[in-house]
Amino acid sequence: MSNSYVPRLPKPGETLHGERFAVGFGGKGANQCIVSSRLGAKTAMVAKVGNDTFGNNYIQNFRDNGVNIEHVSTTSEAATGVAPIAVSEDGQNAIVIVSGANLKLTETDVQRSEGLISSARVVVCQLEIKPDVTITALKLAKKHNVVTIFNPAPALPHLDPSFYVYSDFLCVNETEAEILTGIPVSCPNDSQKVISCLLERGCKAVIVTLGSQGSVFATHENPLIRHIQATSVTAVDSTGAGDAFIGALAFYLSTMPNLQLEDIIRRSGKIASASVELPGTQTSYQWQKDLPTELFR
């Protein structure tokens, strides 16, 4: 993953002078896993990387962050996935994902990890791999009564209905919510129709993150939305903030499951807010020891 820091995001056809450039680790699934690990959860990845320098570095990065890599394999059929990112002065970003080796992960690869999945407390899935492979992971998790979090990103407008049925928690940002439902979301009040629509598709709970406006959520049992304000911070780089939220959500659901859902979402939002105060993606994710102790008691 590479970050190009620019005064503002370019318009179509426009070339801008950047201010600096940085290369780091990324990928939604990897980011979410690293966040959970740094917060104190026992984590593992099921993934595929290219047989190249980027792939070797990714595997070492997982090791350095205490992630189980038993089911991270390599392929010579494609390069490791990359994501060039433009970051503006106000912390906004635009991302292009080139999936590469991610698309070489197969249903068989996931089925081989059934022992790992069955022993997990929470399984987190995204759409950076083939949808059929993602749904296989969700189904295996539910077969073993494991809590599932589904982050449908990059979002697709026509998802197989089973994605919703096998998702205990569907977590989307406002852009992804609109792609899934066709309903624009610009503020918390817009979220009721979106969340109602997604709950009707079979999710047990839906969370919509709204950046500086916080997040809204509702559950099948309590379908009226609740809004949780974001912590006010000075944004340096918002890249990966959504992944920080989901990684924190997975951490709390797996290690502190007796907390009220509203409290879990509030704490996850605080961890996401802390990440935007630092540059980069995984470089902005803090370890538990560097965060306020009240987030962990």
Side-chain angles (χ1 to χ4, degrees), residues 6-7 25 43 52 56 59 61 94 128 131 136 157 168 179 182 188 195 213 230 237 239 242 258-259 274:
V6 292
F25 297 103
T43 60
D52 50 36
N56 294 337
I59 288 173
N61 185 57
E128 291 180 310
T136 297
D168 292 321
I179 291 171
I195 288 180
Q213 297 183 81
D237 185 349
T239 310
N258 293 327
L259 290 175

Side-chain angles (χ1 to χ4, degrees), residues 7 11 19 29 32 54 92 104 141 145 155 166 169 173 176 234 243 245 250 257 265 279 290 295:
K11 298 175 182 178
E19 297 167 347
Q32 293 160 13
F54 285 140
Q92 297 302 305
K104 298 298 180 181
N145 297 314
Y166 290 104
F169 295 88
N173 64 23
E176 293 151 2
T234 300
D243 295 334
F245 180 93
I265 294 172
D290 300 317
L295 291 174

Side-chain angles (χ1 to χ4, degrees), residues 45-48 71-73 102 104-118 123-126 129-141 143-144:
M45 279 289 291
V46 179
K48 196 173 289 276
H71 292 280
V72 177
S73 56
N102 290 325
K104 298 298 180 181
L105 190 73
T106 66
E107 294 176 57
T108 300
D109 291 324
V110 173
Q111 288 161 352
R112 287 183 184 134
S113 69
E114 182 170 0
L116 174 68
I117 289 173
S118 67
V123 166
V124 186
C125 292
Q126 313 78 25
I129 57 178
K130 293 178 180 177
D132 288 349
V133 180
T134 299
I135 197 67
T136 297
L138 289 170
K139 286 180 177 178
L140 276 178
K143 172 184 174 182
H144 296 284

Side-chain angles (χ1 to χ4, degrees), residues 84-188:
I85 302 171
V87 183
S88 64
E89 286 182 349
D90 62 359
Q92 297 302 305
N93 65 76
I95 307 173
V96 176
I97 293 173
V98 182
S99 295
N102 290 325
L103 297 182
K104 298 298 180 181
L105 190 73
T106 66
E107 294 176 57
T108 300
D109 291 324
V110 173
Q111 288 161 352
R112 287 183 184 134
S113 69
E114 182 170 0
L116 174 68
I117 289 173
S118 67
S119 65
R121 293 181 180 176
V122 176
V123 166
V124 186
C125 292
Q126 313 78 25
L127 288 176
E128 291 180 310
I129 57 178
K130 293 178 180 177
D132 288 349
V133 180
T134 299
I135 197 67
T136 297
L138 289 170
K139 286 180 177 178
L140 276 178
K142 295 319 299 174
K143 172 184 174 182
H144 296 284
N145 297 314
V146 177
V147 172
T148 55
I149 300 173
F150 179 42
N151 172 216
L156 299 172
H158 304 293
L159 276 181
D160 185 310
S162 5
F163 274 104
Y164 301 102
V165 174
Y166 290 104
S167 299
D168 292 321
F169 295 88
L170 184 81
C171 190
V172 293
N173 64 23
E174 60 269 56
T175 303
E176 293 151 2
E178 182 174 353
I179 291 171
L180 292 177
T181 65
I183 303 170
V185 180
S186 60
C187 66

